């Protein structure tokens, strides 16, 4: 066991003395040390009750014959960090989380790991650490929040964001918004729709790194606690069988994750995160892979922010296992892949079934024939950009209009809230990429304002930053190369025509190539918006969104 290096033999008497100072017994020190990365805190609804999950994991580890050792990691609530400087730190926190787990695991010679997590950057950060460490590991999420209700209508966090736009446009009064605010988030858990947190929890299960049910069992259900106990027991079994993450996170496992991604209509952020996790696992995937999968895998579930269903409905309808079982009918899932149950995907989903075909549609009756995401290329994004095509109204799948250019989210939000954006406009928000932001902010406020004002069927948004998993409409993010790297988006001018053709996967700046070259020859890189601290260091070493925004 790796932990023998800190607890076995006469030379390790000082080390054992330190363990005994914390109450560990000789019997506990004979067992494998299983680290528990715990991202519990008092600032994220999805993490506020993770200590309860960790207690269950500890019980499972002890039942399995191991000794649990818990430690904390950081976590940012994207909703609270939204639309101010705090969001610059969100994506960048993913790397800090992965690094901190690595540091703790190696410094203390853990034999195996359980990653207890729930929300946007914390889930991929822990998966990245799992791949990097390659110790037997299981990821356990805290589970999704239940949706809220108001006047008989189901609502969630996005209802609040879009309500702000509705108030600004005179479609709603502030008293009604206050009622929505009070009812939208009724329990702890990751926000109720198929936003980034729940997307990543579902994909963790799909790629085999989470137990069946990990993606969908609501946070408040006792089944979530039982799942945590099972994870603790199972990780000791993985250790005994020497099953490590890189044996699970194979190329075929990532293909499974992408297939489920497309069927569920997940967040565009999954593109960044899957590429970063694959990078740590030594698996090569690129943007073209997402398009290839999307062309073959239909969109079967319409969850918020696109449809009326929420993750609790998906759980009731059979969960991720039922979605995979349905996809198997066309051989769209690699069923031989190994998982953290110690069994194959085929064995895991053998008894799965769709119990509500209104939530999980059959392959013959999908919401869309192609998957939820599309990657567009063209002279405005030679290295690609990403759109949640399942969230785009039909008339906006092809759109051409004049650019309205802004050099920050704040400028764009001010113009939108000030009702200065006209029908047909293409809002361009630049210098918000990994380097230029820095930090590649999610921009839920401008997209929600557009939707709340009823303009999502009339206005497109394009950025080298990101859009939230809660975004709907023709919102195209991750434009690469970004403005700060001298991409074409840096030289777009107000009034330039921009053509978007999502079915053909094209995005075009409607000016001659020679004019683009002339403008770029005169372009000068602006000074960094932040020049000190962690985020300044991050900006110097992060790659483009088209490469997963990984730190080199």
């Amino acid at each position: 066991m790796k932990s023998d290096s800190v607890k076995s033999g006469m030379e390790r008497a000082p080390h054992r003395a330190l363990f005994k100072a914390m109450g560990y017994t000789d019997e506990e020190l004979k067992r494998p040390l299983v680290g528990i990365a715990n991202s519990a805190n008092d600032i994220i609804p999805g993490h506020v009750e993770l200590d309860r999950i960790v207690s269950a994991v500890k019980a499972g580890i002890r039942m399995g014959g191991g000794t649990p050792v818990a430690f904390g990691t950081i976590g940012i609530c994207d909703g609270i960090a939204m639309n101010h400087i705090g969001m610059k730190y969100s994506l960048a926190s993913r790397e800090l989380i992965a690094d901190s787990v690595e540091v703790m695991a190696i410094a203390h010679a853990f034999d195996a790991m359980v990653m207890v997590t729930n929300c946007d950057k914390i889930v991929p950060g822990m998966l990245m650490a799992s791949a990097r460490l390659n110790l037997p590991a299981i990821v356990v999420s805290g589970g999704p929040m239940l949706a809220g209700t108001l006047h008989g209508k189901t609502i969630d966090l996005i209802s609040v964001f879009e309500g702000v736009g509705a108030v600004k446009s005179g479609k709603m009064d502030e008293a009604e918004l206050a009622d929505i605010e009070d009812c939208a988030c009724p329990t702890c858990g990751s926000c109720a729709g198929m936003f980034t947190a729940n997307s990543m929890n579902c994909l963790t299960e799909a790629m085999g790194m989470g137990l069946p049910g990990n993606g969908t069992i609501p946070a408040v259900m006792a089944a979530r606690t039982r799942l945590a106990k099972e994870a603790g027991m199972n990780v000791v079994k993985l250790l005994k069988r020497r099953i490590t993450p890189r044996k699970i996170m194979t190329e075929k496992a990532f293909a499974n994750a992408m297939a489920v991604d497309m069927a569920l209509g997940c967040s565009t952020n999954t593109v960044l995160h899957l590429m970063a996790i694959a990078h740590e696992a030594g698996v090569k995937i690129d943007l073209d892979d997402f398009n290839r999968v999307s062309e073959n895998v239909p969109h079967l579930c319409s969850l918020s922010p696109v449809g009326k269903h929420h993750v609790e409905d998906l759980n009731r309808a059979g969960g991720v296992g039922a979605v995979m079982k349905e996809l198997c009918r066309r051989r769209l899932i690699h069923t031989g892949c190994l998982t953290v149950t110690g069994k194959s995907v085929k064995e895991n989903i053998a008894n799965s079934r769709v119990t509500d075909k209104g939530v999980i549609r059959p392959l013959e009756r999908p919401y869309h024939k192609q998957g939820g995401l599309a990657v567009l290329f063209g002279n405005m994004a030679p290295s690609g950009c990403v759109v949640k095509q399942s969230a785009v109204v039909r008339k906006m799948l092809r759109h051409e209009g004049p650019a309205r250019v802004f050099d920050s989210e704040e400028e764009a939000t001010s113009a939108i809230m000030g009702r200065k954006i006209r029908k047909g406009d293409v809002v361009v928000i630049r210098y918000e990429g990994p380097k230029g932001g820095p930090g590649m902010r999610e921009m839920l406020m401008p997209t929600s304002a557009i939707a709340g004002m009823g303009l999502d069927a009339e206005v497109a948004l394009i950025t080298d930053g990101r859009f939230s998993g809660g975004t709907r409409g023709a919102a195209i993010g991750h434009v690469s190369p970004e403005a700060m790297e001298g991409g074409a988006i840096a030289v777009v001018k107000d009034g330039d025509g921009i053509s978007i053709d999502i079915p053909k996967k094209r995005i075009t700046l409607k000016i001659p190539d020679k004019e683009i070259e002339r403008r770029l020859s005169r372009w000068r890189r602006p000074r960094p918006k932040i020049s000190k601290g962690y985020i300044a260091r991050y900006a110097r070493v992060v790659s483009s969104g088209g490469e997963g925004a990984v730190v080199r």
Side-chain angles (χ1 to χ4, degrees):
M1 293 188 294
K2 289 184 181 292
S3 61
D4 287 343
S5 63
V6 297
K7 60 185 178 63
S8 296
M10 180 270 294
E11 296 85 355
R12 294 298 181 255
H15 302 63
R16 291 193 296 274
L18 293 170
F19 275 104
K20 290 177 178 179
M22 295 178 279
Y24 290 91
T25 65
D26 285 327
E27 176 60 31
E28 286 175 300
L29 294 179
K30 291 176 184 177
R31 298 179 177 187
L33 295 185
V34 181
I36 305 173
N38 177 13
S39 59
N41 59 45
D42 293 339
I43 196 66
I44 308 178
H47 292 233
V48 72
E49 291 197 355
L50 286 187
D51 284 338
R52 173 176 57 85
I53 300 297
V54 169
S55 293
V57 170
K58 286 180 177 180
I61 291 170
R62 291 191 180 103
M63 286 189 285
T67 295
V69 184
F71 62 91
T73 68
I74 65 167
I76 289 175
C77 178
D78 279 14
I80 295 173
M82 195 70 67
N83 198 232
H84 61 90
I85 192 172
M87 181 48 75
K88 294 178 183 289
Y89 290 79
S90 177
L91 181 60
S93 73
R94 185 185 72 180
E95 318 307 315
L96 287 175
I97 292 160
D99 291 349
S100 67
V101 174
E102 173 196 355
V103 165
M104 290 295 289
I106 294 178
H108 301 106
F110 295 140
D111 297 301
M113 296 290 303
V114 178
M115 312 293 189
V116 179
T117 176
N118 211 16
C119 291
D120 295 40
K121 309 310 164 300
I122 303 95
V123 178
M126 290 197 180
L127 283 166
M128 289 164 67
S130 298
R132 189 185 303 173
L133 290 164
N134 205 33
L135 297 173
I138 295 179
V139 177
V140 183
S141 87
M145 181 185 293
L146 297 181
T149 56
L150 181 65
H151 306 314
K153 181 182 178 182
T154 304
I155 60 173
D156 56 35
L157 180 65
I158 303 309
S159 308
V160 192
F161 273 99
E162 293 186 0
V164 174
V167 170
K168 288 286 185 179
S169 64
K171 295 184 175 183
M172 181 186 294
D173 61 36
E174 291 190 42
E176 187 175 355
L177 178 60
D179 288 341
I180 295 172
E181 175 187 329
D182 288 342
C183 299
C185 301
T187 72
C188 66
S190 47
C191 295
M194 191 50 70
F195 316 143
T196 305
N198 290 325
S199 294
M200 288 309 304
N201 284 325
C202 287
L203 299 193
T204 298
E205 181 179 339
M207 74 169 66
M209 284 299 294
L211 294 174
N214 180 74
T216 59
I217 297 172
V220 295
M221 285 189 173
R224 177 60 60 179
T225 304
R226 296 197 298 271
L227 186 83
K229 290 179 181 178
E230 291 169 4
M233 290 186 283
N234 265 62
V235 78
V236 181
K237 294 177 183 177
L238 295 180
L239 175 62
K240 291 175 181 177
R241 293 180 57 185
R242 298 181 181 180
I243 296 175
T244 59
R246 291 194 184 187
K247 293 179 180 178
I248 294 170
M249 287 193 273
T250 62
E251 184 176 348
K252 289 181 178 179
F254 280 99
N256 285 347
M258 284 189 274
V260 171
D261 192 343
M262 299 306 164
L264 292 179
C266 290
S267 164
T268 53
N269 287 313
T270 58
V271 175
L272 287 174
H273 298 323
L274 288 177
M275 292 179 76
I277 298 161
H279 175 77
E280 295 286 358
V283 174
K284 175 64 176 174
I285 61 174
D286 58 31
L287 294 178
D288 288 324
D289 292 323
F290 288 89
N291 274 346
R292 279 194 289 271
V293 174
S294 182
E295 287 168 3
N296 292 315
V297 178
H299 176 218
L300 302 181
C301 303
S302 186
L303 283 72
S304 176
V306 182
K308 64 180 181 179
H309 297 132
H310 290 81
V311 180
E312 64 196 81
D313 300 311
L314 176 61
N315 184 66
R316 175 178 49 79
V320 172
V323 173
M324 297 180 80
K325 188 74 170 284
E326 182 66 19
L327 293 177
C328 283
R329 292 177 51 224
R330 287 187 188 166
R331 299 184 180 179
L332 296 170
I333 294 292
H334 299 282
T335 57
C337 290
L338 183 64
T339 75
V340 290
T341 63
K343 301 175 182 179
S344 68
V345 169
K346 182 179 181 179
E347 292 172 296
N348 286 350
I349 66 174
N351 296 320
S352 296
R353 63 189 181 91
V354 176
T355 59
D356 188 337
K357 293 183 179 180
V359 177
I360 305 172
R361 285 191 174 184
L363 288 164
E364 294 79 13
R365 192 171 54 86
Y367 283 96
H368 301 94
K369 291 182 179 180
Q370 291 193 357
L373 302 181
V375 180
L376 315 184
F377 296 91
N379 64 352
M380 192 166 172
S383 300
C385 55
V386 184
V387 63
K388 189 171 184 175
Q389 62 180 349
S390 60
V392 181
V393 297
R394 183 178 295 275
K395 66 179 288 188
M396 289 297 290
L397 290 172
R398 291 184 174 89
H399 179 75
E400 186 170 324
R404 295 292 305 282
V405 183
F406 304 94
D407 286 347
S408 70
E409 178 188 2
E410 288 83 358
E411 290 180 17
T413 300
S414 178
I416 293 166
M417 295 294 194
R419 306 185 73 176
K420 296 178 181 177
I421 301 302
R422 297 179 293 272
K423 291 182 179 181
D425 283 348
V426 178
V427 176
V428 177
I429 309 173
R430 64 190 179 196
Y431 295 108
E432 289 290 3
K435 294 180 182 294
M440 203 179 187
R441 282 193 285 188
E442 276 188 356
M443 287 176 274
L444 182 56
M445 188 62 79
T447 58
S448 295
I450 288 285
M453 292 175 175
L455 292 174
D456 55 307
E458 308 288 348
V459 173
L461 295 95
I462 299 173
T463 184
D464 53 6
R466 302 180 295 129
F467 292 117
S468 166
T471 291
R472 60 188 175 97
I476 299 167
H478 311 188
V479 169
S480 300
E482 63 172 290
M484 199 66 168
E485 290 185 321
I489 191 173
V491 295
V492 180
K493 294 181 179 180
D494 276 346
D496 285 346
I498 295 177
S499 172
I500 299 163
D501 191 330
I502 294 174
K504 290 187 176 180
K505 311 294 191 292
R506 299 297 298 173
I507 183 167
T508 307
L509 178 58
K510 304 284 284 187
I511 61 175
D513 290 342
K514 287 187 177 180
E515 174 61 14
I516 296 176
E517 292 171 8
R518 186 188 69 81
R519 292 183 189 180
L520 285 172
S521 70
R522 297 180 178 182
W523 173 82
R524 295 294 178 267
R525 181 177 287 105
R527 295 180 63 182
K529 295 175 183 176
I530 298 176
S531 57
K532 61 181 180 181
Y534 169 65
I535 203 68
R537 297 197 303 274
Y538 174 85
R540 289 195 291 269
V541 295
V542 69
S543 73
S544 73
E547 296 175 322
V550 298
V551 167
R552 296 188 178 96

